[in-house]
Amino acid sequence: MTTDVFKSLTPLFEQKSNLDSIKDFHEKVNLTFHNIEAKYYDKIHAEMWINLPEQIDRIINHLYAWLDKQKIQKIKVLDLGCGTGLAAQLLIDSLVGRKIASMFLLDPSHAMLERAKKRSLKWNIPINSRCGYIEDVDEKFDLIITSSVLHHIPDIPQFISYIENRLNANGVFISLHDPLAEAIDSETYQNRTARLTQTKRANFQNRTLKQRITGKIIRILKGNIKLEAYIAEVNQELIHLNVINTHLTPAEIWSITDIHVEGLPYSANNGISLKNLEESVNDLSLAYFNTYCFFGTLKSDLPEEYKVEENNLTLTDDKFGRNFNSMWIRK
């Protein structure tokens, strides 16, 4: 891996790191953050449980049709970057669940992996797991799935090559819930997000004091206070490990962990480029692609009139949603 993939982080690395290697700096911050975030992940990202099932259902219909066409009865699955096991759980609960012969849970964060393993006790299928990276795995799979993973990966072409090498012939790679650069940079998307911002501002100004206080209580209950607590915990652990010489701001931490997410001071890109993904693959062909989050906010958090519009844009297969899902077939 070349240092070019970390170029955007160089100023931050030079200012706040105690380490000699920018690659090590990225890895240690990333792992420390996710090990601590694991305790809060499902609460902080509760909206994922609300919104991701719809996206899983959309792509699973295409996957099931492919498996039937190939007369594949049972599949061996790798949940790559499994986190707390959300994607695997939703996959098992889906139409494809009956075809899953075994599930391999892989994550570099031991704390995330332990939570996924605990969740897997209810799945009633053989489970394997490993704390590590995809290059540490020698097996081949019929399906590799990632959820909210690609935007964490500095060197995406290398990551894709690892996936290709671990898929069986006619195997499937599914990516879920990553930001799409082509949409984020488009005038269409930017106009939509600006319109939503104006609507929210107007709605807030029209709220009564009681409504504003209620909204604040809801935000606290959803975990905003714990968010501040775990960011402080991340900094404390990074200083203890001698990774940094001074605290990182939340935006600096997310620049490191979410290296391809827009709006962060040291991120490398404004999302994942579909064009670059297609140029990165050698043995994969794109079989399905869709976008959602057309106003930059997940549907569950939209005002009611925007939820209707989100649904309509979904039905028209609009390609200017912030987030995307993709399904690829190994040739």
Side-chain angles (χ1 to χ4, degrees), residues 188-212:
T188 298
Y189 173 78
Q190 291 169 11
N191 287 341
R192 286 173 180 165
T193 57
R195 180 156 58 91
L196 176 61
T197 298
Q198 291 176 346
T199 298
K200 285 184 173 181
R201 186 179 296 119
N203 289 346
F204 181 80
Q205 290 172 345
N206 291 331
R207 292 165 73 193
T208 65
L209 178 61
K210 181 178 179 180
Q211 288 172 327
R212 295 183 189 185

Side-chain angles (χ1 to χ4, degrees), residues 49-93:
W49 285 101
I50 300 171
N51 294 276
L52 202 56
E54 178 183 348
Q55 303 308 320
I56 286 273
D57 287 345
R58 292 177 70 183
I59 208 163
I60 285 306
N61 290 333
H62 294 269
L63 173 61
Y64 194 85
W66 168 257
L67 295 175
D68 268 7
K69 181 180 179 181
Q70 299 301 312
K71 296 181 168 45
I72 298 172
Q73 298 303 315
K74 291 293 181 180
I75 57 173
K76 184 179 177 182
V77 181
L78 169 64
D79 186 352
L80 174 54
C82 65
T84 63
L86 168 60
Q89 178 72 69
L90 294 176
L91 186 64
I92 287 167
D93 292 342

Side-chain angles (χ1 to χ4, degrees), residues 231-245:
I231 290 296
E233 193 175 346
V234 170
N235 273 306
Q236 183 178 0
E237 181 64 13
L238 288 171
I239 288 176
H240 173 73
L241 295 172
N242 199 34
V243 174
I244 57 175
N245 53 53

